[in-house]
Amino acid sequence: MEVTRSWKSLSKNLVKQPTRQDVHQSLEEADPELCIAVISRALNFTGLKHRLKSVDGKWLEQFLSLGGLSALFDALESLGRKGFSSISDALRQLECVGCVKAVMNNEIGLTFIIESQAQNFVQKLAQVLDTNNGLLKTQIFELFSALCVYSPEGWSLVLEALENYKRTKGLRYRFSLPMHELRSSETDEYSACVLAFINCVLQGCEDLKQRCRLRNEIIALGLSDLLVPMREKSDDALATQIEVFEAAQLEDTAHIEMPGMVDINSHEDMFRAVLDKIWWHSNEVQFLHILQNLLLIERDSVRGEVIWNILEELCS
């Protein structure tokens, strides 16, 4: 069988210590079946990544139809369970994600991931973010950014993945993860990457009111405070992402028509606007009862958080 002969030939080449050129050339002409066999044995992700970058649409479609992407995610999950006992383990996981990225750099691959919702590819990618490998997390956030701006469906899958990560890791908010990464970032480059992801989440939301709610949700977690010291940095990429965030915020605020030019980002102004709207109206008493009940909600409690989430859903 052709695949068996090819595999035997490849196995012989992998016995010796390969050079960088050997690694790339070993899969240079490999067909999808052989590449999937390599994935199942967690061998030569570097060569596979270079092969995936060079294939045409027909080859990639066959690779996906034969379960190539599922094999990559299985390998990624297996590597994650194994942990990092050496630098080579960390590099192997990084290269495996690089293979996923090579697939997603093609429109065929992006569409396949979005249409294969039952396999939870995006949620599985999010789980990989539970690591100390900064290079790995950078690649994941870049993939999420691409999904957000590619299509509304891709954007929705990323939001669902953040929500699922929040539940599985016991976090309070769906944007706790990117906000934690910004706070703990050790490089300007990584901060720019995470902030670019936040901008893509907002850019991918087509509804103006929903986009403003998302932005306020992120700001409430302390983004404005984090941007203050970031403005003092000299990194051009980071400065660009800060500028994009603030410019989009100003543009969205200008498009929201509020009576009396109310500052929608001010709690006090918004409260006063609502009170003025229902003053001397039958809803005045109901509004007071609502405020009285809001005052009874416990702060920093799980039950209180559930109540606030329900109230937000009712008002959306």
Side-chain angles (χ1 to χ4, degrees):
M1 187 175 179
E2 185 64 30
V3 174
T4 303
R5 288 197 298 270
S6 299
W7 173 250
K8 288 181 178 178
S9 175
L10 178 63
S11 298
K12 291 179 181 178
N13 291 333
L14 291 174
V15 171
K16 63 180 181 177
Q17 292 295 325
T19 65
R20 180 179 294 271
Q21 185 177 9
D22 291 336
V23 168
H24 293 173
Q25 290 182 347
S26 62
L27 292 175
E28 197 174 66
E29 302 296 332
D31 56 24
E33 292 92 338
L34 179 58
C35 287
I36 294 173
V38 169
I39 296 170
S40 66
R41 292 164 175 80
L43 295 171
N44 199 4
F45 286 119
T46 301
L48 177 61
K49 181 177 68 174
H50 284 269
R51 176 62 173 144
L52 288 169
K53 286 181 178 180
S54 64
V55 300
D56 57 23
K58 184 178 180 180
W59 191 102
L60 185 58
E61 286 178 348
Q62 185 179 1
F63 176 79
L64 295 172
S65 66
L66 291 173
L69 190 59
S70 297
L72 277 174
F73 274 93
D74 289 343
L76 191 58
E77 185 177 357
S78 177
L79 290 169
R81 287 196 305 267
K82 181 181 178 182
F84 304 130
S85 57
S86 65
I87 294 177
S88 63
D89 290 334
L91 291 176
R92 192 175 291 112
Q93 189 178 33
L94 185 63
E95 289 297 287
C96 186
V97 172
C99 292
V100 176
K101 187 175 182 179
V103 172
M104 291 180 62
N105 278 338
N106 189 300
E107 186 174 353
I108 295 174
L110 267 176
T111 301
F112 184 85
I113 284 181
I114 292 172
E115 292 180 349
S116 304
Q117 296 186 27
Q119 300 191 53
N120 295 322
F121 288 134
V122 183
Q123 291 187 16
K124 291 177 181 178
L125 270 179
Q127 296 303 314
V128 181
L129 287 167
D130 188 12
T131 178
N132 293 324
N133 189 329
L135 291 174
L136 184 62
K137 290 189 286 189
T138 296
Q139 291 208 33
I140 300 296
F141 277 119
E142 288 176 349
L143 293 176
F144 280 178
S145 296
L147 282 168
C148 284
V149 298
Y150 178 69
S151 70
E153 293 79 15
W155 176 84
S156 296
L157 287 175
V158 171
L159 268 290
E160 290 174 8
L162 288 177
E163 186 68 31
N164 181 69
Y165 189 94
K166 181 197 78 172
R167 289 194 303 268
T168 57
K169 303 301 179 181
L171 303 177
R172 293 188 64 185
Y173 309 103
R174 57 181 170 177
F175 289 108
S176 291
L177 171 62
M179 291 303 298
H180 169 75
E181 294 302 317
L182 275 180
R183 288 192 180 91
S184 60
S185 174
E186 297 180 353
T187 67
D188 294 343
E189 291 79 7
Y190 186 57
S191 296
C193 173
V194 178
L195 189 54
F197 165 67
I198 291 175
N199 284 330
C200 287
V201 168
L202 297 173
Q203 181 183 344
C205 182
E206 298 178 343
D207 182 80
L208 175 60
K209 292 183 178 179
Q210 185 180 7
R211 187 164 62 247
C212 288
R213 283 195 295 269
L214 280 174
R215 185 181 292 108
N216 289 336
E217 182 180 341
I218 297 170
I219 290 175
L221 296 178
L223 180 58
S224 297
D225 294 335
L226 290 177
L227 293 182
V228 174
M230 288 184 186
R231 294 190 186 95
E232 306 300 321
K233 305 288 186 177
S234 59
D235 186 77
D236 291 339
L238 181 58
T240 298
Q241 293 305 323
I242 294 173
E243 183 179 345
V244 169
F245 179 84
E246 294 178 338
Q249 182 181 17
L250 288 174
E251 183 178 355
D252 285 348
T253 301
H255 281 82
I256 294 181
E257 297 181 2
M258 295 292 290
M261 298 299 290
V262 175
D263 181 2
I264 63 170
N265 294 312
S266 168
H267 297 73
E268 185 176 352
D269 285 1
M270 290 297 291
F271 172 80
R272 176 56 60 182
V274 174
L275 185 60
D276 290 343
K277 185 175 182 179
I278 54 90
W279 195 249
W280 295 109
H281 191 273
S282 60
N283 298 130
E284 175 190 341
V285 175
Q286 293 171 305
F287 182 57
L288 178 60
H289 290 163
I290 291 173
L291 293 175
Q292 290 169 343
N293 283 285
L294 290 178
L295 190 60
L296 297 176
I297 300 177
E298 296 179 7
R299 183 177 178 177
D300 297 329
S301 69
V302 175
R303 182 173 180 273
E305 189 63 35
V306 171
I307 294 174
W308 283 114
N309 288 334
I310 292 175
L311 289 172
E312 183 180 19
E313 288 294 326
L314 288 174
C315 294
S316 299

